[in-house]
């Protein structure tokens, strides 16, 4: 019970010896000093996005190769090495031709080709 009494005495302030604490003042800033400029952080590249073409390499090309292998007779036996070589270019061109993909340069993995391939693969 004594703990309860102590707690209640701390909550109730019957004497006015302790005035309420003053509100903190806002930080002052010199009007002639410019505000600090923080550049927006750059976003990491999402694998498998952007235009890919012969000579490119990396994770996006690796994912392209994996998807091309899922379409029969497009990239059969092709390497999965993340390198956009002549074989990948030929496979992308073949896919574009066979499925009537328009809007991307022949053999270039752009937005139209990407969408069509993604709809047909996992």
């Amino acid at each position: 019970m004594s703990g309860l009494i102590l707690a209640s005495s701390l909550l109730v302030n019957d004497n006015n010896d302790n005035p309420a604490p003053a509100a903190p003042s806002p930080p002052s800033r010199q009007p002639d000093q410019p505000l600090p400029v923080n550049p927006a952080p750059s976003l990491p590249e999402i694998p498998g996005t952007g235009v890919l073409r012969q000579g490119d390499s990396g994770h996006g090309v690796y994912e392209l190769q994996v998807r091309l292998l899922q379409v029969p007779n497009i990239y059969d036996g092709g390497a999965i090495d993340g390198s956009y070589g002549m074989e990948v270019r030929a496979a992308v061109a073949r896919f574009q031709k066979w499925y009537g993909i328009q809007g991307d340069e022949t053999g270039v993995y752009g937005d139209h080709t990407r969408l069509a391939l993604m709809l047909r693969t996992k």
Side-chain angles (χ1 to χ4, degrees), residues 52-110:
L52 298 173
R53 57 180 35 109
Q54 189 170 345
D56 289 343
S57 62
H59 188 76
V61 178
Y62 174 88
E63 287 193 6
L64 167 60
Q65 292 169 324
V66 169
R67 287 185 184 272
L68 288 172
L69 280 172
Q70 295 177 38
V71 182
N73 303 315
I74 292 291
Y75 189 58
D76 292 341
I80 301 178
D81 59 3
S83 180
Y84 202 122
M86 289 178 13
E87 271 189 76
V88 174
R89 184 184 186 290
V92 170
R94 189 174 308 114
F95 177 80
Q96 291 168 327
K97 182 178 179 181
W98 290 3
Y99 290 93
I101 312 304
Q102 297 178 353
D104 293 328
E105 186 180 333
T106 301
V108 173
Y109 190 55

